[in-house]
Amino acid sequence: MAAGYPLSLTNTSGNEIIIKTRPERVVSLVPSITEMLVGIDVDKSLIGITYHSTLPFVITEKVIVGGFENPSINRIEKLQPDLIFCSSLQKEIIKHFQNKVPLVTLQVHSIEDSFDHIRLLGEIFNAQENAENIISEQMRLLELIKRKTALIDNGEKLRVMHLMGRSPIMAPGDDSFQNEYIKKAGGIPPSFGQNGSIIPVTLKKWQDFNPQVLYSCGDNSE
């Protein structure tokens, strides 16, 4: 199905965004969005990413504009993007580019949210069929994992935590999609008593949970 431009969409922040034509100069400051764009095969339109995007062949071809927490406004400006994907946490980026370049923020709270975002990206880039193929494959894999993890005894499940920051220690909140993935993978996610995409973790909370498995982004693993 061909996309009808201009497209009107609403950010997860509630702001309406108008996309007049198919984007051709895109900067993605959110690694998960970068991966989605690669997955639906529209990465030729992607010109700028952060160094947290770990897909090797993408990194060698794209301009690095900094990290997730400190993207460079100057580097982004030099690329003259016609669309920027950013996080609501990147307040300086939003403040600077507001009303200059369309800014799309897509906040994920669940796996179903991520599927909705893939569909939206398919619409933005006129790649709806690719988007639906990716979703179908992910649903197939989730069902396969569900069947396998059903065989794990509760006493054998490991306590798993996603480490998202070092100073201070940060992790996804209780309602995050990351914790949903941990459950579906057969692990036990932490319950820190706080919702949100990223929250601080005190030493006491860390010790109370006592993680057996940690996974992280970028150089946090050190």
PDB file of all heavy atoms in Angstrom, residues 11-42:
ATOM      1  N   ASN A  11       3.061  12.083  18.407  1.00  0.00           N
ATOM      2  CA  ASN A  11       4.129  11.545  19.240  1.00  0.00           C
ATOM      3  C   ASN A  11       3.567  10.907  20.497  1.00  0.00           C
ATOM      4  O   ASN A  11       2.435  11.185  20.903  1.00  0.00           O
ATOM      5  CB  ASN A  11       5.074  12.674  19.682  1.00  0.00           C
ATOM      6  CG  ASN A  11       6.186  12.895  18.691  1.00  0.00           C
ATOM      7  OD1 ASN A  11       6.552  12.002  17.957  1.00  0.00           O
ATOM      8  ND2 ASN A  11       6.719  14.096  18.687  1.00  0.00           N
ATOM      9  N   THR A  12       4.405  10.083  21.162  1.00  0.00           N
ATOM     10  CA  THR A  12       4.004   9.574  22.472  1.00  0.00           C
ATOM     11  C   THR A  12       3.924  10.705  23.494  1.00  0.00           C
ATOM     12  O   THR A  12       3.315  10.558  24.542  1.00  0.00           O
ATOM     13  CB  THR A  12       4.987   8.495  22.953  1.00  0.00           C
ATOM     14  OG1 THR A  12       6.328   8.989  22.827  1.00  0.00           O
ATOM     15  CG2 THR A  12       4.854   7.224  22.148  1.00  0.00           C
ATOM     16  N   SER A  13       4.548  11.854  23.172  1.00  0.00           N
ATOM     17  CA  SER A  13       4.437  13.030  24.040  1.00  0.00           C
ATOM     18  C   SER A  13       3.151  13.805  23.784  1.00  0.00           C
ATOM     19  O   SER A  13       2.845  14.767  24.491  1.00  0.00           O
ATOM     20  CB  SER A  13       5.643  13.949  23.828  1.00  0.00           C
ATOM     21  OG  SER A  13       5.722  14.368  22.478  1.00  0.00           O
ATOM     22  N   GLY A  14       2.388  13.403  22.739  1.00  0.00           N
ATOM     23  CA  GLY A  14       1.109  14.035  22.465  1.00  0.00           C
ATOM     24  C   GLY A  14       1.148  15.124  21.415  1.00  0.00           C
ATOM     25  O   GLY A  14       0.115  15.697  21.073  1.00  0.00           O
ATOM     26  N   ASN A  15       2.346  15.438  20.877  1.00  0.00           N
ATOM     27  CA  ASN A  15       2.468  16.488  19.869  1.00  0.00           C
ATOM     28  C   ASN A  15       2.195  15.941  18.472  1.00  0.00           C
ATOM     29  O   ASN A  15       2.622  14.840  18.127  1.00  0.00           O
ATOM     30  CB  ASN A  15       3.881  17.088  19.904  1.00  0.00           C
ATOM     31  CG  ASN A  15       4.172  17.781  21.224  1.00  0.00           C
ATOM     32  OD1 ASN A  15       3.286  18.369  21.827  1.00  0.00           O
ATOM     33  ND2 ASN A  15       5.417  17.698  21.682  1.00  0.00           N
ATOM     34  N   GLU A  16       1.501  16.735  17.662  1.00  0.00           N
ATOM     35  CA  GLU A  16       1.223  16.336  16.287  1.00  0.00           C
ATOM     36  C   GLU A  16       2.408  16.696  15.392  1.00  0.00           C
ATOM     37  O   GLU A  16       2.971  17.786  15.473  1.00  0.00           O
ATOM     38  CB  GLU A  16      -0.037  17.021  15.765  1.00  0.00           C
ATOM     39  CG  GLU A  16      -0.427  16.532  14.367  1.00  0.00           C
ATOM     40  CD  GLU A  16      -1.654  17.239  13.818  1.00  0.00           C
ATOM     41  OE1 GLU A  16      -1.943  18.364  14.278  1.00  0.00           O
ATOM     42  OE2 GLU A  16      -2.310  16.687  12.932  1.00  0.00           O
ATOM     43  N   ILE A  17       2.803  15.752  14.546  1.00  0.00           N
ATOM     44  CA  ILE A  17       3.925  15.930  13.626  1.00  0.00           C
ATOM     45  C   ILE A  17       3.408  15.770  12.201  1.00  0.00           C
ATOM     46  O   ILE A  17       2.642  14.846  11.909  1.00  0.00           O
ATOM     47  CB  ILE A  17       5.036  14.893  13.882  1.00  0.00           C
ATOM     48  CG1 ILE A  17       5.477  14.923  15.344  1.00  0.00           C
ATOM     49  CG2 ILE A  17       6.225  15.124  12.961  1.00  0.00           C
ATOM     50  CD1 ILE A  17       6.079  16.228  15.787  1.00  0.00           C
ATOM     51  N   ILE A  18       3.812  16.656  11.320  1.00  0.00           N
ATOM     52  CA  ILE A  18       3.454  16.565   9.905  1.00  0.00           C
ATOM     53  C   ILE A  18       4.702  16.194   9.113  1.00  0.00           C
ATOM     54  O   ILE A  18       5.727  16.884   9.184  1.00  0.00           O
ATOM     55  CB  ILE A  18       2.877  17.895   9.371  1.00  0.00           C
ATOM     56  CG1 ILE A  18       1.655  18.331  10.209  1.00  0.00           C
ATOM     57  CG2 ILE A  18       2.520  17.760   7.901  1.00  0.00           C
ATOM     58  CD1 ILE A  18       0.493  17.377  10.122  1.00  0.00           C
ATOM     59  N   ILE A  19       4.624  15.116   8.367  1.00  0.00           N
ATOM     60  CA  ILE A  19       5.717  14.690   7.488  1.00  0.00           C
ATOM     61  C   ILE A  19       5.242  14.882   6.053  1.00  0.00           C
ATOM     62  O   ILE A  19       4.336  14.197   5.587  1.00  0.00           O
ATOM     63  CB  ILE A  19       6.110  13.230   7.757  1.00  0.00           C
ATOM     64  CG1 ILE A  19       6.579  13.088   9.212  1.00  0.00           C
ATOM     65  CG2 ILE A  19       7.196  12.767   6.795  1.00  0.00           C
ATOM     66  CD1 ILE A  19       6.921  11.673   9.621  1.00  0.00           C
ATOM     67  N   LYS A  20       5.854  15.844   5.372  1.00  0.00           N
ATOM     68  CA  LYS A  20       5.352  16.261   4.066  1.00  0.00           C
ATOM     69  C   LYS A  20       5.687  15.275   2.954  1.00  0.00           C
ATOM     70  O   LYS A  20       4.884  15.061   2.049  1.00  0.00           O
ATOM     71  CB  LYS A  20       5.911  17.642   3.725  1.00  0.00           C
ATOM     72  CG  LYS A  20       5.440  18.742   4.685  1.00  0.00           C
ATOM     73  CD  LYS A  20       6.022  20.093   4.316  1.00  0.00           C
ATOM     74  CE  LYS A  20       5.546  21.162   5.282  1.00  0.00           C
ATOM     75  NZ  LYS A  20       6.110  22.505   4.955  1.00  0.00           N
ATOM     76  N   THR A  21       6.902  14.711   2.984  1.00  0.00           N
ATOM     77  CA  THR A  21       7.324  13.747   1.966  1.00  0.00           C
ATOM     78  C   THR A  21       8.088  12.620   2.646  1.00  0.00           C
ATOM     79  O   THR A  21       8.424  12.699   3.841  1.00  0.00           O
ATOM     80  CB  THR A  21       8.238  14.402   0.915  1.00  0.00           C
ATOM     81  OG1 THR A  21       9.420  14.925   1.572  1.00  0.00           O
ATOM     82  CG2 THR A  21       7.528  15.525   0.185  1.00  0.00           C
ATOM     83  N   ARG A  22       8.393  11.580   1.886  1.00  0.00           N
ATOM     84  CA  ARG A  22       9.152  10.461   2.454  1.00  0.00           C
ATOM     85  C   ARG A  22      10.519  10.959   2.923  1.00  0.00           C
ATOM     86  O   ARG A  22      11.263  11.556   2.150  1.00  0.00           O
ATOM     87  CB  ARG A  22       9.360   9.365   1.399  1.00  0.00           C
ATOM     88  CG  ARG A  22      10.020   8.094   1.948  1.00  0.00           C
ATOM     89  CD  ARG A  22      10.303   7.120   0.825  1.00  0.00           C
ATOM     90  NE  ARG A  22      10.764   5.842   1.325  1.00  0.00           N
ATOM     91  CZ  ARG A  22      12.011   5.576   1.691  1.00  0.00           C
ATOM     92  NH1 ARG A  22      12.930   6.530   1.631  1.00  0.00           N
ATOM     93  NH2 ARG A  22      12.353   4.376   2.121  1.00  0.00           N
ATOM     94  N   PRO A  23      10.874  10.735   4.192  1.00  0.00           N
ATOM     95  CA  PRO A  23      12.158  11.225   4.704  1.00  0.00           C
ATOM     96  C   PRO A  23      13.342  10.577   4.000  1.00  0.00           C
ATOM     97  O   PRO A  23      13.349   9.371   3.762  1.00  0.00           O
ATOM     98  CB  PRO A  23      12.114  10.811   6.188  1.00  0.00           C
ATOM     99  CG  PRO A  23      10.665  10.617   6.489  1.00  0.00           C
ATOM    100  CD  PRO A  23      10.057  10.096   5.238  1.00  0.00           C
ATOM    101  N   GLU A  24      14.342  11.387   3.679  1.00  0.00           N
ATOM    102  CA  GLU A  24      15.541  10.896   2.988  1.00  0.00           C
ATOM    103  C   GLU A  24      16.830  11.197   3.748  1.00  0.00           C
ATOM    104  O   GLU A  24      17.878  10.651   3.429  1.00  0.00           O
ATOM    105  CB  GLU A  24      15.632  11.520   1.583  1.00  0.00           C
ATOM    106  CG  GLU A  24      14.479  11.176   0.660  1.00  0.00           C
ATOM    107  CD  GLU A  24      14.438   9.696   0.302  1.00  0.00           C
ATOM    108  OE1 GLU A  24      15.465   9.014   0.466  1.00  0.00           O
ATOM    109  OE2 GLU A  24      13.369   9.223  -0.140  1.00  0.00           O
ATOM    110  N   ARG A  25      16.750  12.079   4.750  1.00  0.00           N
ATOM    111  CA  ARG A  25      17.927  12.439   5.547  1.00  0.00           C
ATOM    112  C   ARG A  25      17.536  12.358   7.030  1.00  0.00           C
ATOM    113  O   ARG A  25      17.114  13.341   7.621  1.00  0.00           O
ATOM    114  CB  ARG A  25      18.445  13.838   5.189  1.00  0.00           C
ATOM    115  CG  ARG A  25      18.892  13.962   3.734  1.00  0.00           C
ATOM    116  CD  ARG A  25      19.517  15.327   3.455  1.00  0.00           C
ATOM    117  NE  ARG A  25      20.706  15.539   4.272  1.00  0.00           N
ATOM    118  CZ  ARG A  25      21.911  15.044   3.986  1.00  0.00           C
ATOM    119  NH1 ARG A  25      22.082  14.270   2.906  1.00  0.00           N
ATOM    120  NH2 ARG A  25      22.945  15.294   4.773  1.00  0.00           N
ATOM    121  N   VAL A  26      17.690  11.161   7.573  1.00  0.00           N
ATOM    122  CA  VAL A  26      17.156  10.859   8.896  1.00  0.00           C
ATOM    123  C   VAL A  26      18.287  10.683   9.902  1.00  0.00           C
ATOM    124  O   VAL A  26      19.297  10.029   9.620  1.00  0.00           O
ATOM    125  CB  VAL A  26      16.301   9.571   8.856  1.00  0.00           C
ATOM    126  CG1 VAL A  26      15.797   9.210  10.251  1.00  0.00           C
ATOM    127  CG2 VAL A  26      15.147   9.744   7.887  1.00  0.00           C
ATOM    128  N   VAL A  27      18.117  11.279  11.069  1.00  0.00           N
ATOM    129  CA  VAL A  27      19.024  11.064  12.196  1.00  0.00           C
ATOM    130  C   VAL A  27      18.247  10.316  13.275  1.00  0.00           C
ATOM    131  O   VAL A  27      17.161  10.746  13.675  1.00  0.00           O
ATOM    132  CB  VAL A  27      19.568  12.389  12.754  1.00  0.00           C
ATOM    133  CG1 VAL A  27      20.323  12.151  14.073  1.00  0.00           C
ATOM    134  CG2 VAL A  27      20.489  13.057  11.748  1.00  0.00           C
ATOM    135  N   SER A  28      18.800   9.197  13.736  1.00  0.00           N
ATOM    136  CA  SER A  28      18.179   8.428  14.810  1.00  0.00           C
ATOM    137  C   SER A  28      19.073   8.470  16.037  1.00  0.00           C
ATOM    138  O   SER A  28      20.207   7.973  16.013  1.00  0.00           O
ATOM    139  CB  SER A  28      17.945   6.972  14.387  1.00  0.00           C
ATOM    140  OG  SER A  28      17.490   6.208  15.497  1.00  0.00           O
ATOM    141  N   LEU A  29      18.562   9.051  17.116  1.00  0.00           N
ATOM    142  CA  LEU A  29      19.300   9.151  18.376  1.00  0.00           C
ATOM    143  C   LEU A  29      18.886   8.069  19.361  1.00  0.00           C
ATOM    144  O   LEU A  29      19.324   8.076  20.509  1.00  0.00           O
ATOM    145  CB  LEU A  29      19.069  10.531  18.998  1.00  0.00           C
ATOM    146  CG  LEU A  29      19.404  11.731  18.094  1.00  0.00           C
ATOM    147  CD1 LEU A  29      19.090  13.035  18.810  1.00  0.00           C
ATOM    148  CD2 LEU A  29      20.868  11.692  17.662  1.00  0.00           C
ATOM    149  N   VAL A  30      18.049   7.132  18.898  1.00  0.00           N
ATOM    150  CA  VAL A  30      17.545   6.055  19.751  1.00  0.00           C
ATOM    151  C   VAL A  30      17.942   4.722  19.119  1.00  0.00           C
ATOM    152  O   VAL A  30      17.449   4.376  18.045  1.00  0.00           O
ATOM    153  CB  VAL A  30      16.016   6.139  19.899  1.00  0.00           C
ATOM    154  CG1 VAL A  30      15.509   5.069  20.856  1.00  0.00           C
ATOM    155  CG2 VAL A  30      15.592   7.526  20.363  1.00  0.00           C
ATOM    156  N   PRO A  31      18.839   3.957  19.737  1.00  0.00           N
ATOM    157  CA  PRO A  31      19.325   2.712  19.138  1.00  0.00           C
ATOM    158  C   PRO A  31      18.230   1.733  18.730  1.00  0.00           C
ATOM    159  O   PRO A  31      18.337   1.081  17.688  1.00  0.00           O
ATOM    160  CB  PRO A  31      20.223   2.123  20.234  1.00  0.00           C
ATOM    161  CG  PRO A  31      20.717   3.314  20.982  1.00  0.00           C
ATOM    162  CD  PRO A  31      19.563   4.286  20.995  1.00  0.00           C
ATOM    163  N   SER A  32      17.164   1.629  19.532  1.00  0.00           N
ATOM    164  CA  SER A  32      16.088   0.696  19.179  1.00  0.00           C
ATOM    165  C   SER A  32      15.389   1.119  17.895  1.00  0.00           C
ATOM    166  O   SER A  32      15.003   0.272  17.071  1.00  0.00           O
ATOM    167  CB  SER A  32      15.077   0.588  20.321  1.00  0.00           C
ATOM    168  OG  SER A  32      14.514   1.853  20.627  1.00  0.00           O
ATOM    169  N   ILE A  33      15.224   2.437  17.690  1.00  0.00           N
ATOM    170  CA  ILE A  33      14.623   2.931  16.451  1.00  0.00           C
ATOM    171  C   ILE A  33      15.563   2.668  15.276  1.00  0.00           C
ATOM    172  O   ILE A  33      15.123   2.271  14.186  1.00  0.00           O
ATOM    173  CB  ILE A  33      14.294   4.429  16.548  1.00  0.00           C
ATOM    174  CG1 ILE A  33      13.251   4.679  17.649  1.00  0.00           C
ATOM    175  CG2 ILE A  33      13.793   4.966  15.203  1.00  0.00           C
ATOM    176  CD1 ILE A  33      11.912   4.043  17.386  1.00  0.00           C
ATOM    177  N   THR A  34      16.858   2.885  15.493  1.00  0.00           N
ATOM    178  CA  THR A  34      17.845   2.581  14.451  1.00  0.00           C
ATOM    179  C   THR A  34      17.710   1.136  14.001  1.00  0.00           C
ATOM    180  O   THR A  34      17.701   0.844  12.797  1.00  0.00           O
ATOM    181  CB  THR A  34      19.280   2.833  14.977  1.00  0.00           C
ATOM    182  OG1 THR A  34      19.392   4.184  15.419  1.00  0.00           O
ATOM    183  CG2 THR A  34      20.310   2.566  13.894  1.00  0.00           C
ATOM    184  N   GLU A  35      17.603   0.231  14.962  1.00  0.00           N
ATOM    185  CA  GLU A  35      17.489  -1.193  14.627  1.00  0.00           C
ATOM    186  C   GLU A  35      16.199  -1.470  13.860  1.00  0.00           C
ATOM    187  O   GLU A  35      16.190  -2.268  12.918  1.00  0.00           O
ATOM    188  CB  GLU A  35      17.541  -2.025  15.903  1.00  0.00           C
ATOM    189  CG  GLU A  35      17.609  -3.518  15.641  1.00  0.00           C
ATOM    190  CD  GLU A  35      17.911  -4.327  16.883  1.00  0.00           C
ATOM    191  OE1 GLU A  35      18.249  -3.725  17.924  1.00  0.00           O
ATOM    192  OE2 GLU A  35      17.810  -5.559  16.812  1.00  0.00           O
ATOM    193  N   MET A  36      15.114  -0.808  14.235  1.00  0.00           N
ATOM    194  CA  MET A  36      13.854  -0.985  13.517  1.00  0.00           C
ATOM    195  C   MET A  36      13.972  -0.502  12.073  1.00  0.00           C
ATOM    196  O   MET A  36      13.471  -1.146  11.140  1.00  0.00           O
ATOM    197  CB  MET A  36      12.729  -0.232  14.224  1.00  0.00           C
ATOM    198  CG  MET A  36      12.304  -0.824  15.548  1.00  0.00           C
ATOM    199  SD  MET A  36      10.985   0.186  16.311  1.00  0.00           S
ATOM    200  CE  MET A  36      10.830  -0.611  17.911  1.00  0.00           C
ATOM    201  N   LEU A  37      14.643   0.643  11.869  1.00  0.00           N
ATOM    202  CA  LEU A  37      14.798   1.187  10.520  1.00  0.00           C
ATOM    203  C   LEU A  37      15.615   0.235   9.645  1.00  0.00           C
ATOM    204  O   LEU A  37      15.313   0.043   8.465  1.00  0.00           O
ATOM    205  CB  LEU A  37      15.471   2.559  10.583  1.00  0.00           C
ATOM    206  CG  LEU A  37      14.663   3.667  11.272  1.00  0.00           C
ATOM    207  CD1 LEU A  37      15.502   4.934  11.397  1.00  0.00           C
ATOM    208  CD2 LEU A  37      13.379   3.959  10.511  1.00  0.00           C
ATOM    209  N   VAL A  38      16.648  -0.354  10.237  1.00  0.00           N
ATOM    210  CA  VAL A  38      17.439  -1.343   9.504  1.00  0.00           C
ATOM    211  C   VAL A  38      16.582  -2.568   9.201  1.00  0.00           C
ATOM    212  O   VAL A  38      16.615  -3.116   8.099  1.00  0.00           O
ATOM    213  CB  VAL A  38      18.695  -1.739  10.303  1.00  0.00           C
ATOM    214  CG1 VAL A  38      19.429  -2.901   9.631  1.00  0.00           C
ATOM    215  CG2 VAL A  38      19.641  -0.552  10.450  1.00  0.00           C
ATOM    216  N   GLY A  39      15.773  -2.969  10.186  1.00  0.00           N
ATOM    217  CA  GLY A  39      14.943  -4.157  10.016  1.00  0.00           C
ATOM    218  C   GLY A  39      13.935  -4.037   8.898  1.00  0.00           C
ATOM    219  O   GLY A  39      13.669  -5.016   8.194  1.00  0.00           O
ATOM    220  N   ILE A  40      13.367  -2.841   8.710  1.00  0.00           N
ATOM    221  CA  ILE A  40      12.375  -2.673   7.636  1.00  0.00           C
ATOM    222  C   ILE A  40      13.032  -2.197   6.335  1.00  0.00           C
ATOM    223  O   ILE A  40      12.349  -1.825   5.390  1.00  0.00           O
ATOM    224  CB  ILE A  40      11.237  -1.724   8.049  1.00  0.00           C
ATOM    225  CG1 ILE A  40      11.746  -0.302   8.287  1.00  0.00           C
ATOM    226  CG2 ILE A  40      10.520  -2.262   9.278  1.00  0.00           C
ATOM    227  CD1 ILE A  40      10.626   0.705   8.554  1.00  0.00           C
ATOM    228  N   ASP A  41      14.372  -2.217   6.325  1.00  0.00           N
ATOM    229  CA  ASP A  41      15.158  -1.992   5.099  1.00  0.00           C
ATOM    230  C   ASP A  41      14.995  -0.578   4.544  1.00  0.00           C
ATOM    231  O   ASP A  41      14.855  -0.385   3.344  1.00  0.00           O
ATOM    232  CB  ASP A  41      14.781  -3.025   4.034  1.00  0.00           C
ATOM    233  CG  ASP A  41      15.829  -3.129   2.927  1.00  0.00           C
ATOM    234  OD1 ASP A  41      17.006  -2.814   3.197  1.00  0.00           O
ATOM    235  OD2 ASP A  41      15.466  -3.509   1.802  1.00  0.00           O
ATOM    236  N   VAL A  42      15.048   0.415   5.443  1.00  0.00           N
ATOM    237  CA  VAL A  42      15.018   1.807   4.975  1.00  0.00           C
ATOM    238  C   VAL A  42      16.253   2.559   5.466  1.00  0.00           C
ATOM    239  O   VAL A  42      16.261   3.788   5.508  1.00  0.00           O
ATOM    240  CB  VAL A  42      13.726   2.535   5.430  1.00  0.00           C
ATOM    241  CG1 VAL A  42      12.502   1.860   4.838  1.00  0.00           C
ATOM    242  CG2 VAL A  42      13.637   2.613   6.945  1.00  0.00           C
TER     243      VAL A  42
END
